[in-house]
Amino acid sequence: MTQDRLLVTDTRTGRQYELPITDGTIHATDLRQIKVSDDDFGLMSYDPAYLNTASCRSSITFIDGGKGILRYRGYPIEVLAEHCSFLEVAWLLLNGELPAQEELDSWVALVKKHVLIHETTKKFLEGFRYDAHPMGMLISTVAALSTVYPDAKNVHDPQVRRKHIVRLIAKMPTITAYCYRHRFGLPYVYPDPELGYTENFMNMLWRLLEPKYIANPVLARALDILFILHADHEQNCSTSTMRTVGSSLADPYVSVAAAAAALSGPLHGGANEQVLHMLDEIGSKDKVPAYIERVKRGEVRLMGFGHRVYKNYDPRAKIIKRTADEVFAVTGYNSKIEIARELERIALEDEYFVKRKLYPNVDFYSGIIYEAMGFEPRLFTVLFAIPRVVGWLAQWDELLRDPEQKIARPRQIYTGHAERRFVPIQDRKK
Ligand code: MLT
């Protein structure tokens, strides 16, 4: 079979080029042969914010944004959310296959073995001000773990990588819970080895004087589902950061800290908190139409709607909406969910939003559920980071096994001065 090719005519020179097309892409470096002269650097592609650039080959997560499809390792997200536990999905993302029962049991046991954090790390956490933002605490603490596990820098050793992947997944809930309790001056609660991953997280967050903390099973399962939905999302901003930092062969702790820093921005992991602020601003269901009109006039933004890759309903949002019903049956309904549903109903019928393909995304309902479950909004981004660490690490592991990858080094279009004559300081004008 002949290879598909792109025929390019450079109108500057009249020359023609044939660029091979593989997997629906041309290789950007193939453009370099297109030159106007021998000393020309060659043609580059300009793609700020990587709107149309594939930076890697990946077999982890598939998204069809037009159709609203999300699959992990080929399995539809809806099926995984219905039938699997978060740690089962974590195994799938990391290993490419669903675990057999025996594999799952030993994986769960292994994660449990690593939930404790070093006592000096606890002291490190105590050094933060009482009102420190949990995301800042998490980012710094995860980076600090790089000093506790110096062997993690042997990133080319698959066994070392695996050891630290487990540690990171196991310790994220412990660090988060300690960050949370620090704010209230509550003593840190040690992990309970008898509990599952999410139940134990809830125990470390909320246990007070009860001899054993038993989470409500509906809420624990809802949290598990939310973790599954947030576990990976191919080359989003934080995952691309993980790959960029990882490409320099930095260790997984500092790389995860960098990815978490990217996630902390309001345009990424902080978006669901913005949705809650918007719902507060709207105040009641009857004020929704007026708010929609303000959105259309460009006065305010409709938070939690629209997504860079989904031009359809974000499949995660559909599952979260269903899960919300189960959570509210336990916690009781609040006005926010009513406002959100009305907002969605009106927006999905309105030509303005339909034409722009603005559908609810994962952030639209997640903050509402988290708040109903008792999580304070400051913790929302951390709740995103706990499961996303699995995706970051799966992608990092894939990067390090990929012979095509090198240190990330984009190019630029230089827009500054050409060479200038130096002016001594006494001759310079203000
Ligand atoms: C995510 O899950 O990372 C967000 O939806 C953002 C994205 O994919 O760009």
Side-chain angles (χ1 to χ4, degrees):
M1 210 177 77
T2 53
Q3 164 141 50
D4 290 332
R5 282 166 190 278
L6 179 71
L7 286 179
V8 180
T9 306
D10 185 344
T11 57
R12 299 170 302 174
T13 59
R15 266 188 232 133
Q16 287 212 323
Y17 302 84
E18 286 191 13
L19 310 182
I21 300 177
T22 318
D23 298 323
T25 62
I26 55 160
H27 219 289
T29 49
D30 283 345
L31 295 173
R32 292 275 292 279
Q33 59 185 301
I34 304 176
K35 298 176 176 208
V36 281
S37 61
D38 283 348
D39 59 358
D40 180 4
F41 180 80
L43 204 66
M44 290 194 290
S45 61
Y46 177 54
D47 190 9
Y50 310 120
L51 293 184
N52 196 34
T53 294
S55 63
C56 61
R57 292 174 175 278
S58 181
S59 60
I60 302 171
T61 290
F62 171 80
I63 298 177
D64 182 329
K67 296 199 180 99
I69 293 173
L70 169 62
R71 295 183 200 130
Y72 294 162
R73 300 285 191 183
Y75 295 100
I77 192 70
E78 296 79 5
V79 177
L80 297 173
E82 190 176 339
H83 298 287
C84 294
S85 66
F86 168 64
L87 284 185
E88 198 176 348
V89 170
W91 170 283
L92 169 71
L93 286 167
L94 291 163
N95 298 293
E97 297 297 335
L98 283 165
Q101 188 63 54
E102 219 176 286
E103 287 169 323
L104 180 61
D105 293 345
S106 45
W107 167 239
V108 170
L110 186 65
V111 171
K112 269 188 190 167
K113 207 174 121 193
H114 289 285
V115 287
L116 285 171
I117 57 173
H118 198 285
E119 287 294 302
T120 54
T121 308
K122 233 172 83 178
K123 290 212 183 83
F124 177 84
L125 278 160
E126 276 159 16
F128 284 97
R129 268 175 59 131
Y130 76 97
D131 59 351
H133 195 283
M135 203 54 194
M137 292 174 79
L138 179 87
I139 293 166
S140 335
T141 310
V142 170
L145 288 185
S146 149
T147 66
V148 180
Y149 304 112
D151 71 310
K153 66 177 182 306
N154 299 322
V155 296
H156 283 312
D157 182 334
Q159 278 177 348
V160 171
R161 287 209 296 275
R162 199 33 68 120
K163 184 166 82 182
H164 294 287
I165 285 174
V166 178
R167 283 194 168 134
L168 271 156
I169 294 170
K171 290 176 202 314
M172 286 292 281
T174 316
I175 299 170
T176 301
Y178 286 13
C179 295
Y180 170 76
R181 292 180 77 98
H182 178 77
R183 172 163 157 77
F184 301 102
L186 289 166
Y188 302 156
V189 172
Y190 282 89
D192 181 341
E194 285 177 4
L195 300 177
Y197 190 82
T198 36
E199 286 91 349
N200 178 47
F201 176 46
M202 292 161 98
N203 159 63
M204 291 189 291
L205 282 171
W206 293 320
R207 182 171 159 204
L208 292 171
L209 291 174
E210 56 274 54
K212 191 162 181 86
Y213 182 91
I214 303 290
N216 179 300
V218 175
L219 301 188
R221 176 62 189 147
L223 189 57
D224 216 52
I225 292 174
L226 282 156
F227 280 0
I228 292 172
L229 303 181
H230 285 91
D232 194 46
H233 211 236
E234 52 119 301
Q235 308 313 315
N236 57 80
C237 176
S238 56
T239 304
S240 303
T241 304
M242 180 81 195
R243 279 182 174 264
T244 300
V245 179
S247 77
S248 77
L249 307 185
D251 78 53
Y253 295 98
V254 291
S255 304
V256 164
L263 186 73
S264 72
L267 292 183
H268 194 359
N272 53 8
E273 203 178 325
Q274 306 300 322
V275 173
L276 282 197
H277 294 319
M278 175 186 74
L279 298 176
D280 278 335
E281 190 190 329
I282 297 172
S284 59
K285 198 173 149 186
D286 55 303
K287 305 229 174 72
V288 169
Y291 191 83
I292 293 271
E293 289 313 311
R294 290 182 64 205
V295 173
K296 284 163 45 179
R297 288 199 298 272
E299 291 168 19
V300 284
R301 283 187 65 189
L302 184 54
M303 304 306 297
F305 263 68
H307 192 282
R308 174 72 73 76
V309 291
Y310 291 117
K311 300 300 162 220
N312 202 322
Y313 214 113
D314 179 337
R316 300 169 298 175
K318 276 194 190 145
I319 304 169
I320 298 186
K321 196 176 164 190
R322 268 202 309 275
T323 311
D325 285 327
E326 287 152 30
V327 168
F328 283 113
V330 174
T331 62
Y333 277 81
N334 66 25
S335 60
K336 282 202 188 109
I337 184 79
E338 281 173 9
I339 301 171
R341 286 198 176 136
E342 183 67 356
L343 210 50
E344 182 192 336
R345 191 188 64 76
I346 298 184
L348 291 185
E349 285 171 0
D350 193 307
E351 181 63 13
Y352 177 92
F353 299 96
V354 175
K355 228 171 61 201
R356 290 171 173 75
K357 296 190 188 328
L358 291 172
Y359 294 91
N361 62 38
V362 71
D363 305 306
F364 190 62
Y365 286 107
S366 62
I368 308 174
I369 303 202
Y370 284 142
E371 194 183 50
M373 288 170 79
F375 292 105
E376 53 164 11
R378 284 158 49 101
L379 219 56
F380 290 176
T381 316
V382 187
L383 294 174
F384 195 153
I386 293 174
R388 185 53 63 88
V389 87
V390 172
W392 292 333
L393 291 165
Q395 302 262 354
W396 169 74
D397 193 60
E398 187 178 65
L399 162 95
L400 291 167
R401 283 184 286 108
D402 183 348
E404 276 192 319
Q405 288 293 340
K406 293 186 166 72
I407 185 167
R409 179 62 173 86
R411 311 295 305 214
Q412 64 171 9
I413 300 173
Y414 176 66
T415 59
H417 292 278
E419 186 177 343
R420 297 208 279 176
R421 191 182 60 82
F422 178 77
V423 182
I425 193 156
Q426 63 276 15
D427 300 336
R428 287 176 215 157
K429 301 222 164 46
K430 213 170 121 187

